[in-house]
Amino acid sequence: MDRRKFLAYLGRSAVVLTFLGQGFAYFRALVPNTLYEPPKKFRIGYPKDYPEGITFVAKHRLFVVREGKSFWVISAICQHLGCTVNIVPPKQEVVKIKGQEYHQKWEFFCPCHGSMYYGEGTNYGGPAPRPLPWYKVDVGPDGQLVVDTNTEVDHKFRLIVENL
Ligand code: FES
């Protein structure tokens, strides 16, 4: 290979390598180095530490409801635009939800735009388009409650904890 051909080859190689490098940098920039999303499965403490009734867990924006040995978890995130809903006294103690009578001790109210939810999470007023989700809760190996916000459960779900 003479000098002229060698230099032309070198120049073309440099251009190709430059484009390849830029292409790699472009696609690498689409993949974040760290994931800032909070974990979807987490521990929220021991069942015995939850009092009877409803408890707001601010760190995870959810409610833990305890009735004796039964536990369930309701999201506190409004289904309209994501504000945190508050527990408020019920407007009616007995309501009909899907044809069934439901006795409620509290309701949820969103302070942002006024969405209202019955005590088991069904939306009945304001702009919220759907009920508050219920999340799967289980007892982990260390005895703590483990919530899995990746898994929504039916409003009939109950976790029974025998050894409190
Ligand atoms: S965010 Fe709750 S009503 Fe809009």
Side-chain angles (χ1 to χ4, degrees):
M1 188 183 292
D2 64 20
R3 186 170 176 268
R4 179 180 294 252
K5 278 187 179 168
F6 175 72
L7 288 176
Y9 175 78
L10 204 61
R12 277 195 298 272
S13 299
V15 169
V16 168
L17 283 176
T18 300
F19 277 106
L20 284 176
Q22 285 298 313
F24 175 77
Y26 173 77
F27 285 108
R28 181 64 187 83
L30 298 176
V31 182
N33 290 332
T34 52
L35 196 58
Y36 293 104
E37 270 185 27
K40 300 283 189 184
K41 205 170 180 182
F42 44 83
R43 290 178 297 197
I44 57 167
Y46 295 96
K48 67 177 173 48
D49 296 336
Y50 283 92
E52 196 71 16
I54 189 163
T55 303
F56 177 54
V57 182
K59 183 179 174 193
H60 298 292
R61 296 175 73 203
L62 49 80
F63 300 104
V64 176
V65 185
R66 176 178 176 185
E67 267 180 17
K69 294 180 173 189
S70 300
F71 292 82
W72 61 97
V73 169
I74 306 174
S75 171
I77 299 172
C78 180
Q79 298 300 292
H80 179 224
L81 291 177
C83 291
T84 302
V85 299
N86 296 329
I87 304 167
V88 293
K91 289 199 171 84
Q92 299 168 272
E93 289 194 359
V94 182
V95 291
K96 272 211 164 166
I97 301 171
K98 294 179 186 163
Q100 301 267 343
E101 273 195 359
Y102 174 73
H103 295 255
Q104 55 179 10
K105 296 178 186 147
W106 60 78
E107 287 187 0
F108 302 109
F109 175 75
C110 180
C112 290
H113 313 102
S115 286
M116 293 175 273
Y117 302 86
Y118 292 131
E120 49 71 82
T122 298
N123 54 311
Y124 73 90
R130 59 188 157 269
L132 297 172
W134 284 37
Y135 297 130
K136 185 173 182 229
V137 59
D138 218 333
V139 177
D142 61 356
Q144 291 196 48
L145 293 173
V146 178
V147 177
D148 180 1
T149 57
N150 268 330
T151 310
E152 288 188 25
V153 293
D154 187 77
H155 288 196
K156 293 188 179 87
F157 173 90
R158 298 289 182 272
L159 168 70
I160 309 293
V161 182
E162 289 298 339
N163 306 317
L164 285 168

